């Protein structure tokens, strides 16, 4: 029988925008924050240590002059993390030495999503408000490639878990697009109108040839990467836009979602007639960040505009903070 892991939490005077478990340390988490829901004002990146049934212990924090919308841990160095800011700044920090390793300011459009490569840890993707996704090599001082990935905002950029040259993006044009850096000419190898409204996020399954998309239309769709003509499943249950979807790194059939309806939902995608396993409704504002721990099975974290990040086991009750 799996041991139950006590919950932990974080409360801020700013809105929480994203939360990411460390890929190295079982008890470490990064949380990004923004003033005024990211519309105007300062931001913050916090590195915390999980403490059972208590607030996280803050190990490191950096104040930014603008919102910090997203972050991504390096998979090569436990102390390196990248952040994307509302003023267009992309920073790579060493939280051990508390130094800025490098930073990029290619435009003043807010950075919506950042992600380090899984197979090539020097690669860093960053997507912005005007639909441009840039590829950085953090050993260089400028981007090595850029892509006009969407017409309007590019909400998400995420690497394929196995194919190191492939990534996916989503945008407010309703599209989900696949990109291959090895493609000789047009790097955009597939493009689908995933939703009739903004496609807010996507995530690759770690075990199957699947990708999930979520949308302002309140739905989640599952797609077979080998045949993208139509979704293989549509998940219904959220009452407002679904800002984030994330597959479990432990079980191919488990998918999490975070929504503007202030809830986190857990789904079993192998149960087409009744896929919803758990509904966690204890946030009091939009839930915009979601992550699964790669260390502890069933441990998740959520981040909300209510200024709270919650860490708990998804098969248990969400903590009340």
């Amino acid at each position: 029988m799996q041991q139950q892991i006590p919950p932990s939490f974080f409360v801020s005077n700013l809105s929480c925008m994203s939360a990411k478990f460390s890929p190295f340390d079982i008890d470490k988490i990064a949380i990004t924050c923004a003033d005024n829901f990211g519309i105007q004002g300062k931001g913050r990146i916090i590195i915390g240590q999980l403490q059972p049934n208590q607030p996280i212990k803050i190990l490191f924090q950096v104040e930014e002059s603008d919102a910090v919308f997203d972050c991504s841990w390096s998979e090569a160095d436990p102390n390196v993390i990248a952040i994307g800011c509302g003023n267009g700044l992309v920073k790579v920090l060493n939280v051990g030495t508390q130094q800025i390793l490098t930073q990029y300011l290619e435009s003043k459009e807010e950075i919506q999503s950042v992600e380090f490569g899984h197979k090539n840890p020097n690669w860093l993707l960053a997507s912005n408000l005007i639909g441009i996704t840039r590829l950085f090599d953090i050993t260089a001082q400028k981007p090595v490639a850029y892509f006009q990935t969407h017409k309007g905002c590019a909400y998400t950029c995420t690497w394929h878990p196995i194919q190191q040259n492939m990534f996916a993006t989503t945008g407010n044009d309703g599209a989900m697009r696949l990109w291959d850096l090895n493609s000789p000419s047009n790097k955009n190898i597939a493009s689908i109108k995933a939703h009739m409204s903004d496609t807010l996020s996507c995530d690759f399954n770690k075990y199957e040839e699947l990708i999930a998309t979520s949308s302002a239309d309140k739905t989640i769709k599952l797609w077979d990467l080998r045949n993208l003509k139509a979704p293989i499943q549509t998940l219904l249950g959220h009452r407002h836009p679904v800002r984030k979807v994330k597959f479990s790194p432990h079980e191919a059939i488990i998918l999490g979602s975070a929504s503007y309806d202030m809830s986190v939902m857990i789904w079993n995608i192998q149960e087409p007639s009744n896929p919803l396993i758990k509904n966690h409704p204890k946030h009091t504002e939009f839930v915009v960040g979601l992550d699964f721990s790669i260390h502890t099975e069933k441990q998740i974290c959520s981040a909300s505009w209510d200024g709270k990040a919650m860490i708990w086991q998804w098969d248990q009750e969400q903590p009340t903070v």
Side-chain angles (χ1 to χ4, degrees):
M1 183 177 179
Q2 183 188 1
Q3 181 182 2
Q4 184 175 340
I5 305 299
S8 187
F9 58 90
F10 169 76
V11 180
S12 173
N13 61 334
L14 306 182
S15 299
C16 294
M17 308 304 288
S18 71
K20 305 285 178 68
F21 288 104
S22 166
F24 289 93
D25 300 307
I26 191 171
D27 61 347
K28 191 177 289 184
I29 193 169
I31 301 165
T32 66
C33 303
D35 205 1
N36 299 308
F37 312 113
I39 299 170
Q40 185 179 19
K42 65 182 179 181
R44 188 180 298 147
I45 171 72
I46 290 164
I47 309 300
Q49 183 178 29
L50 305 182
Q51 299 193 111
N53 296 311
Q54 297 181 61
I56 67 167
K57 178 182 179 182
I58 296 177
L59 304 175
F60 172 79
Q61 66 179 346
V62 172
E63 299 281 334
E64 294 290 337
S65 60
D66 213 318
V68 184
F69 285 105
D70 198 20
C71 64
S72 178
W73 290 97
S74 166
E75 297 190 15
D77 188 322
N79 290 314
V80 172
I81 193 166
I83 60 173
C85 301
N87 56 6
L89 194 63
V90 176
K91 278 188 180 181
V92 181
L93 308 169
N94 185 309
V95 300
T97 61
Q98 301 189 10
Q99 292 179 316
I100 300 171
L101 298 180
T102 189
Q103 60 183 16
Y104 309 94
L105 184 61
E106 297 299 316
S107 76
K108 294 184 179 180
E109 305 297 335
E110 66 185 43
I111 303 297
Q112 290 281 309
S113 177
V114 292
E115 186 167 287
F116 271 113
H118 305 302
K119 301 291 185 178
N120 189 332
N122 288 328
W123 283 358
L124 176 67
L125 289 172
S127 292
N128 74 10
L129 191 65
I130 57 173
I132 294 174
T133 298
R134 290 181 172 86
L135 172 63
F136 299 95
D137 181 332
I138 64 168
T139 63
Q141 295 303 309
K142 60 182 181 179
V144 295
Y146 77 95
F147 311 90
Q148 185 66 55
T149 48
H150 295 275
K151 296 177 181 178
C153 182
Y155 291 108
T156 302
C157 53
T158 184
W159 291 100
H160 191 282
I162 298 171
Q163 300 183 45
Q164 68 173 0
N165 294 295
M166 182 183 291
F167 64 93
T169 61
T170 65
N172 71 347
D173 51 10
M176 186 279 294
R177 295 193 169 100
L178 298 177
W179 305 82
D180 187 349
L181 301 177
N182 283 339
S183 180
S185 55
N186 183 5
K187 306 297 185 183
N188 181 202
I189 58 171
S191 180
I192 59 170
K193 184 74 170 178
H195 299 267
M196 295 309 294
S197 189
D198 297 31
T199 301
L200 298 174
S201 77
C202 66
D203 193 44
F204 290 103
N205 191 291
K206 282 67 177 171
Y207 303 97
E208 308 287 347
E209 286 295 309
L210 296 174
I211 191 168
T213 60
S214 71
S215 173
D217 67 10
K218 312 174 195 175
T219 70
I220 300 162
K221 293 183 181 181
L222 303 178
W223 306 82
D224 186 332
L225 289 167
R226 298 160 297 188
N227 183 359
L228 291 167
K229 291 182 179 179
I232 59 174
Q233 192 173 354
T234 300
L235 303 176
L236 304 174
H238 283 294
R239 295 176 289 106
H240 293 296
V242 186
R243 184 62 182 89
K244 192 72 69 175
V245 283
K246 194 78 175 177
F247 277 107
S248 167
H250 301 281
E251 299 179 81
I253 62 173
I254 298 300
L255 178 73
S257 59
S259 171
Y260 291 174
D261 64 13
M262 300 179 280
S263 75
V264 172
M265 292 186 178
I266 306 296
W267 311 82
N268 180 341
I269 63 172
Q270 281 193 346
E271 294 287 346
S273 60
N274 190 25
L276 181 61
I277 303 174
K278 203 79 174 174
N279 181 12
H280 298 285
K282 292 187 179 179
H283 280 292
T284 57
E285 257 292 357
F286 293 176
V287 188
V288 293
L290 182 69
D291 197 25
F292 284 85
S293 169
I294 66 168
H295 305 287
T296 306
E297 189 176 352
K298 297 184 179 179
Q299 189 177 46
I300 61 173
C301 62
S302 59
S304 170
W305 282 8
D306 61 13
K308 299 171 185 174
M310 300 184 188
I311 302 97
W312 78 105
Q313 282 187 206
W314 61 253
D315 60 342
Q316 305 296 319
E317 290 304 309
Q318 189 178 23
T320 299
V321 178

